[in-house]
Amino acid sequence: MSAALKLDDLSVPLRVLRLLMVDFGHLPAPHVHVSPIYPNRLELTFHSGLPGFEAWREALNVAPDAVTYHVQSDGRTQVLRTLVDYADAELELVGYGDVYAPVPVGAA
């Protein structure tokens, strides 16, 4: 078993969070996740629809074709996801939104 990481080992995503707060503090607040499992990744998640995800995607100049789309929860929830390099970190954006016309299971 490897040694447990220290908080210092998460400095890359925490530094990126600080940069994002300075540069994009006017954007919708995401759920923020940093984990020792992926010590170089910062995850920003939007659970209240997709406008927050889209605002961040545009601000970060992430091309629409770099975003994956799928549905879950029996076709009731759409999920947008992208993973980009940002200031030496992996920045993952995830957005969840309702599907207004449910997609049949297995159709997406």
Side-chain angles (χ1 to χ4, degrees):
M1 183 172 188
S2 62
L5 294 178
K6 299 177 196 75
L7 188 57
D8 282 345
D9 296 322
L10 300 175
S11 64
V12 171
L14 293 174
R15 179 180 44 80
V16 167
L17 179 59
R18 184 173 163 216
L19 291 172
L20 293 174
M21 288 174 26
V22 170
D23 293 339
F24 303 111
H26 62 284
L27 292 177
H31 172 87
V32 176
H33 184 77
V34 176
S35 170
I37 296 170
Y38 298 104
N40 289 322
R41 183 177 294 178
L42 175 65
E43 182 180 318
L44 305 180
T45 307
F46 303 88
H47 293 275
S48 300
L50 301 176
F53 175 93
E54 285 298 321
W56 277 90
R57 182 194 62 75
E58 289 178 7
L60 295 167
N61 294 315
V62 175
D65 63 353
V67 176
T68 61
Y69 171 85
H70 69 275
V71 294
Q72 64 185 35
S73 301
D74 292 331
R76 296 174 297 170
T77 302
Q78 55 187 330
V79 181
L80 300 179
R81 181 181 306 268
T82 190
L83 185 64
V84 297
D85 291 327
Y86 188 86
D88 297 325
E90 293 179 333
L91 179 59
E92 184 173 24
L93 299 178
V94 183
Y96 299 96
D98 293 332
V99 174
Y100 296 106
V103 176
V105 175

XYZ file of all heavy atoms in Angstrom:
834
model
N 0.848 -1.180 0.000
C 0.000 0.000 0.000
C 0.887 1.235 0.000
O 1.851 1.332 0.744
C -0.900 -0.031 1.226
C -1.863 1.095 1.285
S -3.009 0.788 2.655
C -4.137 2.082 2.367
N 0.566 2.203 -0.853
C 1.376 3.412 -0.939
C 1.059 4.369 0.204
O 0.009 4.285 0.837
C 1.135 4.100 -2.287
O -0.215 4.483 -2.388
N 1.977 5.271 0.439
C 1.800 6.253 1.512
C 0.658 7.197 1.177
O 0.428 7.526 0.010
C 3.093 7.031 1.707
N -0.044 7.631 2.187
C -1.150 8.570 1.993
C -0.612 9.908 1.516
O 0.469 10.345 1.923
C -1.904 8.738 3.303
N -1.361 10.530 0.644
C -0.967 11.851 0.156
C -1.164 12.896 1.245
O -2.003 12.748 2.127
C -1.797 12.230 -1.070
C -1.583 11.396 -2.319
C -2.513 11.881 -3.427
C -0.151 11.444 -2.783
N -0.416 13.951 1.130
C -0.557 15.101 2.021
C -1.345 16.179 1.283
O -1.465 16.145 0.055
C 0.815 15.636 2.408
C 1.673 14.642 3.149
C 3.038 15.272 3.422
C 4.048 14.247 3.803
N 4.533 13.427 2.709
N -1.848 17.146 2.016
C -2.572 18.247 1.394
C -1.694 18.952 0.365
O -2.173 19.368 -0.698
C -3.090 19.232 2.448
C -4.015 20.325 1.933
C -5.235 19.739 1.228
C -4.440 21.224 3.066
N -0.405 19.046 0.633
C 0.531 19.648 -0.328
C 0.503 18.938 -1.680
O 0.746 19.552 -2.719
C 1.971 19.603 0.201
C 2.257 20.660 1.233
O 1.469 21.612 1.361
O 3.293 20.531 1.916
N 0.199 17.646 -1.675
C 0.160 16.880 -2.913
C -1.028 17.261 -3.798
O -1.094 16.862 -4.953
C 0.115 15.382 -2.611
C 1.380 14.907 -1.906
O 2.478 15.396 -2.244
O 1.269 14.061 -0.995
N -1.952 18.023 -3.243
C -3.110 18.498 -4.003
C -2.943 19.961 -4.422
O -3.912 20.623 -4.798
C -4.388 18.329 -3.177
C -4.715 16.901 -2.761
C -5.937 16.879 -1.852
C -4.913 16.019 -3.964
N -1.729 20.454 -4.377
C -1.497 21.875 -4.641
C -1.853 22.289 -6.065
O -2.299 23.411 -6.290
C -0.049 22.251 -4.326
O 0.843 21.568 -5.191
N -1.685 21.397 -7.041
C -1.979 21.774 -8.431
C -3.458 22.119 -8.606
O -3.786 23.214 -9.060
C -1.506 20.688 -9.418
C -1.999 20.971 -10.822
C 0.010 20.589 -9.402
N -4.402 21.230 -8.275
C -5.802 21.613 -8.476
C -6.253 22.756 -7.561
O -7.093 23.567 -7.956
C -6.581 20.329 -8.195
C -5.671 19.493 -7.377
C -4.286 19.847 -7.808
N -5.675 22.845 -6.378
C -6.058 23.944 -5.484
C -5.543 25.290 -6.011
O -6.234 26.304 -5.906
C -5.551 23.672 -4.068
C -6.223 22.479 -3.389
C -5.561 22.192 -2.047
C -7.711 22.697 -3.230
N -4.371 25.273 -6.636
C -3.857 26.495 -7.256
C -4.742 26.890 -8.433
O -5.063 28.064 -8.625
C -2.413 26.291 -7.716
C -1.805 27.515 -8.390
C -0.362 27.278 -8.845
N -0.133 26.010 -9.508
C -0.432 25.768 -10.794
N -0.982 26.687 -11.534
N -0.176 24.580 -11.317
N -5.161 25.913 -9.215
C -6.036 26.192 -10.359
C -7.374 26.753 -9.872
O -7.905 27.695 -10.469
C -6.226 24.936 -11.224
C -7.349 25.113 -12.220
C -4.922 24.619 -11.941
N -7.899 26.228 -8.790
C -9.139 26.774 -8.238
C -8.962 28.244 -7.885
O -9.828 29.077 -8.174
C -9.576 25.969 -7.013
C -10.851 26.443 -6.332
C -12.040 26.413 -7.281
C -11.117 25.581 -5.094
N -7.838 28.572 -7.294
C -7.546 29.970 -6.953
C -7.491 30.840 -8.216
O -8.053 31.932 -8.254
C -6.234 30.043 -6.191
C -5.882 31.405 -5.718
C -4.654 31.351 -4.824
N -4.110 32.674 -4.705
C -2.837 32.947 -4.639
N -1.947 31.980 -4.664
N -2.419 34.177 -4.515
N -6.833 30.340 -9.258
C -6.772 31.086 -10.521
C -8.166 31.287 -11.116
O -8.491 32.374 -11.605
C -5.898 30.348 -11.533
C -4.405 30.274 -11.261
C -3.734 29.333 -12.269
C -3.787 31.656 -11.319
N -8.970 30.244 -11.086
C -10.319 30.337 -11.631
C -11.169 31.339 -10.860
O -11.979 32.065 -11.443
C -10.982 28.966 -11.640
C -10.380 27.929 -12.584
C -11.042 26.567 -12.375
C -10.483 28.364 -14.034
N -10.988 31.393 -9.536
C -11.739 32.352 -8.726
C -11.384 33.776 -9.122
O -12.262 34.637 -9.200
C -11.462 32.120 -7.234
C -12.109 30.874 -6.707
S -11.684 30.419 -4.991
C -11.247 31.917 -4.210
N -10.122 34.030 -9.401
C -9.687 35.376 -9.787
C -10.193 35.727 -11.182
O -10.743 36.803 -11.406
C -8.146 35.493 -9.711
C -7.667 36.793 -10.327
C -7.675 35.368 -8.272
N -10.017 34.807 -12.125
C -10.353 35.088 -13.524
C -11.838 34.950 -13.846
O -12.335 35.633 -14.739
C -9.560 34.173 -14.459
C -8.063 34.459 -14.426
O -7.672 35.568 -14.012
O -7.291 33.566 -14.816
N -12.540 34.072 -13.150
C -13.921 33.766 -13.515
C -14.880 33.821 -12.329
O -15.894 33.122 -12.313
C -13.992 32.376 -14.170
C -13.115 32.247 -15.375
C -11.997 31.427 -15.348
C -13.389 32.944 -16.535
C -11.177 31.299 -16.459
C -12.572 32.834 -17.658
C -11.464 32.006 -17.616
N -14.558 34.646 -11.357
C -15.392 34.746 -10.158
C -16.819 35.186 -10.432
O -17.703 34.976 -9.605
N -17.069 35.766 -11.592
C -18.407 36.222 -11.957
C -19.289 35.098 -12.513
O -20.494 35.282 -12.671
C -18.295 37.323 -13.011
C -17.642 36.871 -14.286
N -16.278 36.687 -14.385
C -18.171 36.536 -15.481
C -15.993 36.268 -15.617
N -17.131 36.166 -16.297
N -18.704 33.938 -12.787
C -19.466 32.820 -13.349
C -20.219 32.064 -12.259
O -19.905 32.182 -11.075
C -18.522 31.868 -14.091
C -17.891 32.431 -15.368
C -16.931 31.421 -15.973
C -18.950 32.840 -16.380
N -21.213 31.254 -12.659
C -21.975 30.478 -11.670
C -21.070 29.587 -10.819
O -20.108 29.000 -11.326
C -22.911 29.623 -12.528
C -23.019 30.348 -13.831
C -21.693 31.028 -14.028
N -21.393 29.511 -9.539
C -20.597 28.699 -8.615
C -20.884 27.222 -8.835
O -22.039 26.793 -8.799
C -20.910 29.079 -7.173
N -19.832 26.424 -9.050
C -20.007 24.978 -9.221
C -19.824 24.252 -7.898
O -19.348 24.814 -6.910
C -18.861 24.616 -10.166
C -17.762 25.553 -9.755
C -18.466 26.840 -9.377
N -20.175 22.983 -7.914
C -19.743 22.072 -6.860
C -18.276 21.770 -7.185
O -17.951 21.444 -8.325
C -20.592 20.798 -6.902
C -20.112 19.723 -6.000
N -20.480 19.619 -4.690
C -19.258 18.703 -6.220
C -19.896 18.579 -4.146
N -19.137 17.999 -5.057
N -17.384 21.909 -6.218
C -15.947 21.732 -6.441
C -15.495 20.441 -5.782
O -15.822 20.184 -4.623
C -15.161 22.935 -5.864
C -13.672 22.725 -6.011
C -15.605 24.229 -6.529
N -14.730 19.656 -6.552
C -14.254 18.386 -6.013
C -12.761 18.225 -6.304
O -12.326 18.359 -7.452
C -15.023 17.227 -6.646
C -14.666 15.900 -6.093
N -15.117 15.442 -4.878
C -13.882 14.912 -6.578
C -14.640 14.236 -4.646
N -13.869 13.891 -5.658
N -12.002 17.968 -5.250
C -10.577 17.649 -5.341
C -10.398 16.337 -4.587
O -10.947 16.171 -3.503
C -9.712 18.757 -4.706
C -8.247 18.381 -4.722
C -9.932 20.082 -5.412
N -9.635 15.410 -5.179
C -9.511 14.098 -4.569
C -8.079 13.591 -4.634
O -7.403 13.770 -5.650
C -10.413 13.107 -5.309
O -10.149 11.791 -4.896
N -7.612 12.922 -3.575
C -6.287 12.305 -3.643
C -6.237 11.136 -4.632
O -5.159 10.689 -4.998
C -6.018 11.847 -2.215
C -7.347 11.780 -1.563
C -8.225 12.764 -2.257
N -7.381 10.667 -5.086
C -7.391 9.599 -6.084
C -6.862 10.131 -7.418
O -6.139 9.439 -8.123
C -8.803 9.012 -6.243
C -9.221 8.353 -4.926
C -8.858 8.021 -7.403
C -10.667 7.938 -4.868
N -7.231 11.376 -7.765
C -6.738 12.064 -8.967
C -6.102 13.377 -8.505
O -6.717 14.437 -8.607
C -7.882 12.346 -9.943
C -8.564 11.111 -10.451
C -9.818 10.738 -9.968
C -7.961 10.304 -11.409
C -10.451 9.603 -10.435
C -8.590 9.159 -11.877
C -9.835 8.821 -11.387
O -10.456 7.696 -11.855
N -4.890 13.350 -7.996
C -4.310 14.524 -7.334
C -4.020 15.711 -8.246
O -3.749 16.795 -7.741
C -3.021 13.979 -6.714
C -2.697 12.763 -7.497
C -4.000 12.193 -7.948
N -4.097 15.547 -9.545
C -3.886 16.681 -10.459
C -5.173 17.125 -11.130
O -5.131 17.869 -12.105
C -2.839 16.326 -11.525
C -1.459 16.245 -10.931
O -1.110 17.040 -10.053
N -0.678 15.287 -11.370
N -6.314 16.687 -10.622
C -7.598 17.011 -11.253
C -8.446 17.890 -10.349
O -8.539 17.679 -9.147
C -8.369 15.736 -11.578
C -9.699 16.027 -12.301
C -10.429 14.764 -12.685
N -9.660 14.047 -13.691
C -10.021 12.888 -14.204
N -11.126 12.298 -13.808
N -9.269 12.294 -15.110
N -9.083 18.869 -10.981
C -10.085 19.704 -10.334
C -11.386 19.478 -11.078
O -11.438 19.627 -12.303
C -9.686 21.183 -10.406
C -10.709 22.181 -9.876
C -10.916 22.001 -8.368
C -10.260 23.605 -10.181
N -12.415 19.082 -10.369
C -13.715 18.832 -10.988
C -14.694 19.921 -10.582
O -14.841 20.225 -9.399
C -14.256 17.473 -10.559
C -15.575 17.122 -11.206
C -16.103 15.772 -10.761
O -15.305 14.826 -10.656
O -17.320 15.678 -10.504
N -15.329 20.516 -11.577
C -16.384 21.502 -11.366
C -17.667 20.895 -11.905
O -17.764 20.560 -13.082
C -16.072 22.804 -12.104
C -14.722 23.461 -11.806
C -14.572 24.737 -12.622
C -14.566 23.743 -10.322
N -18.655 20.742 -11.030
C -19.898 20.066 -11.398
C -21.074 21.015 -11.213
O -21.136 21.764 -10.237
C -20.105 18.812 -10.524
O -18.929 18.000 -10.611
C -21.294 18.011 -10.983
N -22.010 20.933 -12.160
C -23.201 21.780 -12.151
C -24.430 20.877 -12.125
O -24.683 20.143 -13.074
C -23.207 22.682 -13.393
C -21.965 23.519 -13.470
C -20.824 23.035 -14.095
C -21.915 24.762 -12.871
C -19.658 23.778 -14.138
C -20.744 25.510 -12.907
C -19.623 25.021 -13.533
N -25.170 20.939 -11.028
C -26.320 20.058 -10.823
C -27.658 20.748 -11.085
O -28.692 20.109 -11.021
C -26.317 19.512 -9.389
C -25.181 18.589 -9.111
N -25.237 17.242 -9.409
C -23.952 18.808 -8.591
C -24.094 16.671 -9.076
N -23.299 17.594 -8.571
N -27.644 22.027 -11.365
C -28.893 22.791 -11.501
C -29.184 23.157 -12.949
O -29.585 24.273 -13.246
C -28.823 24.059 -10.649
O -28.638 23.725 -9.299
N -28.956 22.250 -13.842
C -29.172 22.532 -15.255
C -27.853 22.785 -15.958
O -26.782 22.783 -15.345
N -27.935 23.028 -17.261
C -26.729 23.134 -18.072
C -26.226 24.552 -18.334
O -25.112 24.708 -18.833
C -26.952 22.402 -19.395
C -27.301 20.916 -19.228
C -27.596 20.296 -20.574
C -26.200 20.181 -18.493
N -26.955 25.610 -17.999
C -26.427 26.957 -18.269
C -25.097 27.248 -17.570
O -24.218 27.882 -18.160
C -27.533 27.895 -17.778
C -28.789 27.093 -17.925
C -28.369 25.670 -17.587
N -24.918 26.791 -16.347
C -23.642 27.008 -15.653
C -22.505 26.295 -16.352
O -21.420 26.855 -16.538
N -22.741 25.053 -16.761
C -21.736 24.298 -17.513
C -21.367 25.047 -18.781
O -20.191 25.210 -19.101
C -22.293 22.910 -17.858
C -21.380 22.100 -18.746
C -20.463 21.226 -18.191
C -21.442 22.208 -20.129
C -19.611 20.484 -19.005
C -20.609 21.466 -20.952
C -19.682 20.605 -20.383
N -22.371 25.501 -19.519
C -22.109 26.190 -20.791
C -21.361 27.507 -20.584
O -20.481 27.854 -21.372
C -23.409 26.423 -21.554
C -23.945 25.168 -22.201
C -22.995 24.597 -23.247
O -22.362 25.362 -24.007
O -22.870 23.362 -23.314
N -21.681 28.229 -19.525
C -20.966 29.482 -19.244
C -19.488 29.215 -19.006
O -18.621 29.929 -19.527
C -21.596 30.185 -18.038
N -19.185 28.187 -18.234
C -17.787 27.835 -17.966
C -17.099 27.290 -19.211
O -15.957 27.624 -19.495
C -17.707 26.821 -16.822
C -17.769 27.483 -15.488
C -18.884 27.749 -14.758
C -16.669 27.989 -14.738
N -18.541 28.389 -13.595
C -17.176 28.545 -13.555
C -15.295 28.021 -14.949
C -16.370 29.120 -12.589
C -14.479 28.591 -13.984
C -15.016 29.136 -12.823
N -17.802 26.469 -19.983
C -17.217 25.920 -21.205
C -16.814 27.053 -22.148
O -15.714 27.074 -22.681
C -18.200 24.977 -21.913
C -17.613 24.328 -23.169
C -18.664 23.672 -24.030
N -19.665 24.585 -24.540
C -19.452 25.463 -25.541
N -18.287 25.550 -26.122
N -20.431 26.247 -25.940
N -17.702 28.017 -22.327
C -17.405 29.141 -23.204
C -16.262 29.997 -22.652
O -15.381 30.410 -23.400
C -18.652 29.982 -23.419
C -19.685 29.295 -24.281
C -20.950 30.117 -24.453
O -20.991 31.297 -24.017
O -21.913 29.581 -25.030
N -16.275 30.264 -21.354
C -15.231 31.098 -20.745
C -13.857 30.447 -20.879
O -12.853 31.143 -21.048
C -15.552 31.357 -19.273
N -13.820 29.129 -20.834
C -12.555 28.392 -20.938
C -12.195 28.052 -22.383
O -11.197 27.377 -22.631
C -12.623 27.113 -20.099
C -12.743 27.336 -18.593
C -13.114 26.036 -17.898
C -11.456 27.919 -18.033
N -13.012 28.503 -23.327
C -12.787 28.249 -24.753
C -12.705 26.768 -25.081
O -11.879 26.331 -25.883
C -11.530 28.966 -25.257
C -11.681 30.470 -25.216
O -12.709 30.997 -25.627
N -10.674 31.149 -24.703
N -13.558 25.988 -24.461
C -13.641 24.560 -24.760
C -14.589 24.403 -25.946
O -15.749 24.836 -25.886
C -14.149 23.753 -23.547
C -14.342 22.299 -23.904
C -13.196 23.913 -22.374
N -14.109 23.797 -26.994
C -14.920 23.600 -28.199
C -16.091 22.667 -27.907
O -15.952 21.704 -27.146
C -14.060 23.010 -29.310
N -17.251 22.939 -28.499
C -18.403 22.058 -28.278
C -18.127 20.599 -28.630
O -18.654 19.698 -27.978
C -19.478 22.648 -29.199
C -19.103 24.088 -29.339
C -17.595 24.105 -29.323
N -17.282 20.358 -29.624
C -17.011 18.963 -29.995
C -16.075 18.260 -29.017
O -15.833 17.059 -29.144
C -16.491 18.856 -31.425
C -15.164 19.553 -31.652
O -14.670 20.253 -30.747
O -14.620 19.409 -32.766
N -15.572 18.976 -28.007
C -14.759 18.361 -26.956
C -15.622 17.915 -25.773
O -15.107 17.434 -24.775
C -13.681 19.328 -26.472
N -16.924 18.082 -25.905
C -17.873 17.735 -24.843
C -18.577 16.436 -25.209
O -19.038 16.270 -26.334
C -18.908 18.862 -24.662
C -19.968 18.480 -23.635
C -18.224 20.167 -24.262
N -18.638 15.528 -24.248
C -19.405 14.296 -24.466
C -20.802 14.471 -23.876
O -21.004 15.235 -22.929
C -18.731 13.067 -23.833
O -18.635 13.265 -22.414
C -17.351 12.829 -24.428
N -21.734 13.751 -24.444
C -23.130 13.824 -24.027
C -23.648 12.407 -23.815
O -23.390 11.515 -24.624
C -23.969 14.508 -25.112
C -25.456 14.440 -24.855
C -26.062 15.377 -24.047
C -26.233 13.440 -25.411
C -27.425 15.322 -23.792
C -27.601 13.369 -25.161
C -28.191 14.313 -24.350
O -29.522 14.252 -24.088
N -24.369 12.219 -22.741
C -25.109 10.980 -22.563
C -26.272 11.237 -21.617
O -26.388 12.326 -21.047
C -24.216 9.831 -22.072
C -23.709 9.972 -20.679
N -22.578 10.677 -20.349
C -24.192 9.475 -19.511
C -22.382 10.629 -19.048
N -23.339 9.913 -18.512
N -27.141 10.270 -21.519
C -28.276 10.364 -20.606
C -28.168 9.264 -19.568
O -27.542 8.227 -19.804
C -29.634 10.298 -21.337
C -29.833 11.501 -22.231
C -29.763 9.016 -22.134
N -28.754 9.519 -18.418
C -28.777 8.534 -17.338
C -30.115 8.643 -16.619
O -30.967 9.435 -17.022
C -27.602 8.757 -16.379
C -27.629 10.079 -15.648
C -26.381 10.295 -14.793
O -25.289 9.887 -15.149
N -26.557 10.952 -13.665
N -30.266 7.890 -15.570
C -31.498 7.894 -14.761
C -32.712 7.579 -15.619
O -33.682 8.334 -15.665
C -31.671 9.235 -14.042
O -30.582 9.495 -13.199
N -32.635 6.455 -16.345
C -33.737 6.019 -17.201
C -34.128 7.077 -18.232
O -35.297 7.248 -18.543
C -34.957 5.618 -16.373
C -34.725 4.356 -15.562
O -33.918 3.514 -16.012
O -35.334 4.219 -14.491
N -33.137 7.790 -18.742
C -33.381 8.769 -19.791
C -33.899 10.102 -19.308
O -34.309 10.939 -20.111
N -33.860 10.370 -18.012
C -34.408 11.613 -17.467
C -33.367 12.692 -17.231
O -33.715 13.851 -17.044
C -35.137 11.342 -16.150
C -36.359 10.445 -16.330
C -36.945 10.093 -15.006
N -35.902 9.334 -14.293
C -35.947 9.003 -13.027
N -36.950 9.358 -12.289
N -34.983 8.314 -12.481
N -32.083 12.336 -17.220
C -31.028 13.300 -16.928
C -30.001 13.288 -18.046
O -29.467 12.240 -18.394
C -30.331 12.969 -15.595
O -31.312 12.951 -14.554
C -29.263 13.996 -15.258
N -29.740 14.451 -18.607
C -28.676 14.576 -19.603
C -27.397 15.000 -18.905
O -27.433 15.751 -17.926
C -29.062 15.543 -20.710
C -29.465 16.920 -20.251
C -29.986 17.766 -21.388
O -29.581 17.593 -22.533
N -30.871 18.689 -21.080
N -26.275 14.509 -19.399
C -24.975 14.768 -18.776
C -24.014 15.259 -19.852
O -23.835 14.611 -20.876
C -24.401 13.496 -18.108
C -23.065 13.808 -17.441
C -25.385 12.905 -17.117
N -23.408 16.412 -19.601
C -22.338 16.937 -20.444
C -21.050 16.836 -19.652
O -21.016 17.134 -18.450
C -22.598 18.396 -20.828
C -23.867 18.684 -21.611
C -23.986 20.179 -21.891
C -23.898 17.892 -22.900
N -19.968 16.448 -20.330
C -18.692 16.264 -19.633
C -17.554 16.614 -20.578
O -17.570 16.282 -21.757
C -18.563 14.812 -19.183
C -17.290 14.487 -18.427
C -17.226 13.007 -18.029
N -18.384 12.566 -17.294
C -18.492 12.573 -15.960
N -17.499 12.986 -15.222
N -19.590 12.142 -15.379
N -16.546 17.284 -20.027
C -15.321 17.536 -20.775
C -14.154 17.549 -19.807
O -14.306 17.866 -18.629
C -15.394 18.857 -21.588
O -14.288 18.936 -22.468
C -15.431 20.078 -20.680
N -13.012 17.176 -20.314
C -11.777 17.159 -19.531
C -10.735 17.912 -20.346
O -10.452 17.535 -21.486
C -11.331 15.719 -19.272
C -10.128 15.508 -18.368
C -10.406 15.998 -16.954
C -9.751 14.040 -18.343
N -10.210 19.002 -19.780
C -9.240 19.835 -20.488
C -8.030 20.083 -19.602
O -8.118 20.013 -18.375
C -9.856 21.187 -20.926
C -10.989 20.971 -21.908
C -10.334 21.993 -19.732
N -6.913 20.371 -20.232
C -5.724 20.796 -19.491
C -5.849 22.279 -19.217
O -6.170 23.066 -20.114
C -4.461 20.526 -20.303
C -4.169 19.041 -20.440
O -4.480 18.294 -19.498
O -3.637 18.644 -21.488
N -5.595 22.671 -17.972
C -5.674 24.074 -17.592
C -4.619 24.334 -16.523
O -4.699 23.769 -15.427
C -7.069 24.425 -17.068
C -7.259 25.899 -16.841
C -7.665 26.722 -17.887
C -7.025 26.466 -15.598
C -7.833 28.080 -17.688
C -7.195 27.819 -15.394
C -7.595 28.620 -16.437
O -7.755 29.969 -16.237
N -3.633 25.135 -16.845
C -2.592 25.532 -15.890
C -1.969 24.320 -15.196
O -1.855 24.279 -13.976
C -3.132 26.530 -14.874
N -1.600 23.318 -15.967
C -0.934 22.104 -15.479
C -1.836 21.156 -14.698
O -1.352 20.236 -14.054
C 0.296 22.438 -14.635
C 1.357 23.172 -15.433
O 1.499 22.863 -16.640
O 2.037 24.035 -14.857
N -3.127 21.382 -14.757
C -4.069 20.488 -14.079
C -5.059 19.938 -15.098
O -5.256 20.510 -16.171
C -4.829 21.223 -12.979
N -5.675 18.818 -14.750
C -6.817 18.324 -15.500
C -8.040 19.008 -14.915
O -8.307 18.898 -13.716
C -6.975 16.816 -15.327
C -5.887 15.998 -15.940
C -6.115 14.499 -15.702
O -6.770 14.129 -14.704
O -5.629 13.730 -16.520
N -8.755 19.731 -15.736
C -9.966 20.416 -15.300
C -11.151 19.698 -15.933
O -11.258 19.625 -17.158
C -9.936 21.879 -15.720
C -11.148 22.717 -15.357
C -11.382 22.731 -13.847
C -10.986 24.128 -15.884
N -11.986 19.123 -15.089
C -13.150 18.393 -15.575
C -14.402 19.198 -15.269
O -14.642 19.598 -14.130
C -13.236 17.018 -14.907
C -14.372 16.186 -15.435
C -14.367 14.763 -14.906
O -13.800 14.521 -13.816
O -14.928 13.896 -15.579
N -15.180 19.457 -16.314
C -16.475 20.110 -16.159
C -17.550 19.059 -16.392
O -17.490 18.303 -17.371
C -16.663 21.228 -17.191
C -15.690 22.389 -17.184
C -16.033 23.358 -18.311
C -15.697 23.100 -15.852
N -18.539 19.024 -15.505
C -19.649 18.082 -15.639
C -20.930 18.856 -15.376
O -21.042 19.571 -14.379
C -19.541 16.912 -14.636
C -20.670 15.923 -14.847
C -18.190 16.221 -14.736
N -21.876 18.713 -16.285
C -23.170 19.362 -16.121
C -24.297 18.354 -16.198
O -24.280 17.462 -17.052
N -25.274 18.500 -15.308
C -26.448 17.636 -15.276
C -27.685 18.489 -15.511
O -27.831 19.557 -14.916
C -26.589 16.943 -13.916
C -25.434 16.050 -13.571
C -24.385 16.503 -12.778
C -25.382 14.741 -14.042
C -23.318 15.682 -12.459
C -24.317 13.908 -13.723
C -23.295 14.389 -12.936
O -22.235 13.578 -12.626
N -28.566 18.014 -16.369
C -29.803 18.736 -16.626
C -30.926 17.764 -16.925
O -30.698 16.613 -17.312
N -32.145 18.239 -16.744
C -33.310 17.414 -17.024
C -33.466 17.211 -18.523
O -33.155 18.097 -19.326
C -34.580 18.077 -16.491
C -34.610 18.149 -14.972
O -33.990 17.280 -14.333
O -35.243 19.075 -14.444
N -33.953 16.056 -18.884
C -34.370 15.780 -20.261
C -35.865 16.035 -20.280
O -36.615 15.402 -19.543
C -34.047 14.329 -20.675
C -34.622 14.021 -22.042
C -32.545 14.091 -20.656
N -36.306 16.970 -21.097
C -37.709 17.360 -21.087
C -38.590 16.389 -21.866
O -39.760 16.259 -21.588
C -37.860 18.789 -21.584
C -37.158 19.724 -20.628
C -35.947 20.307 -20.970
C -37.680 19.964 -19.363
C -35.294 21.126 -20.064
C -37.023 20.773 -18.457
C -35.828 21.361 -18.820
O -35.162 22.166 -17.933
N -38.012 15.683 -22.819
C -38.695 14.587 -23.502
C -37.836 13.362 -23.240
O -36.819 13.169 -23.906
C -38.824 14.868 -24.987
N -38.163 12.550 -22.232
C -37.288 11.436 -21.850
C -36.868 10.577 -23.037
O -37.646 10.295 -23.931
C -38.137 10.635 -20.865
C -39.083 11.647 -20.284
C -39.383 12.590 -21.433
N -35.605 10.202 -23.015
C -35.009 9.362 -24.049
C -35.196 7.914 -23.618
O -34.876 7.559 -22.488
C -33.498 9.697 -24.193
C -32.851 8.771 -25.196
C -33.308 11.149 -24.568
N -35.699 7.063 -24.517
C -35.837 5.652 -24.132
C -34.479 5.047 -23.763
O -33.470 5.377 -24.371
C -36.385 4.994 -25.414
C -36.980 6.102 -26.209
C -36.187 7.336 -25.851
N -34.473 4.198 -22.761
C -33.247 3.557 -22.299
C -32.617 2.805 -23.469
O -33.297 2.109 -24.221
C -33.538 2.612 -21.124
C -32.283 1.844 -20.731
C -34.076 3.385 -19.940
N -31.309 2.993 -23.652
C -30.574 2.330 -24.726
C -30.559 3.117 -26.017
O -29.873 2.734 -26.961
N -31.256 4.253 -26.082
C -31.308 5.042 -27.309
C -30.143 6.011 -27.422
O -29.853 6.496 -28.499
C -32.626 5.809 -27.392
N -29.482 6.335 -26.319
C -28.404 7.332 -26.379
C -27.060 6.667 -26.544
O -26.820 5.578 -26.225
C -28.394 8.186 -25.117
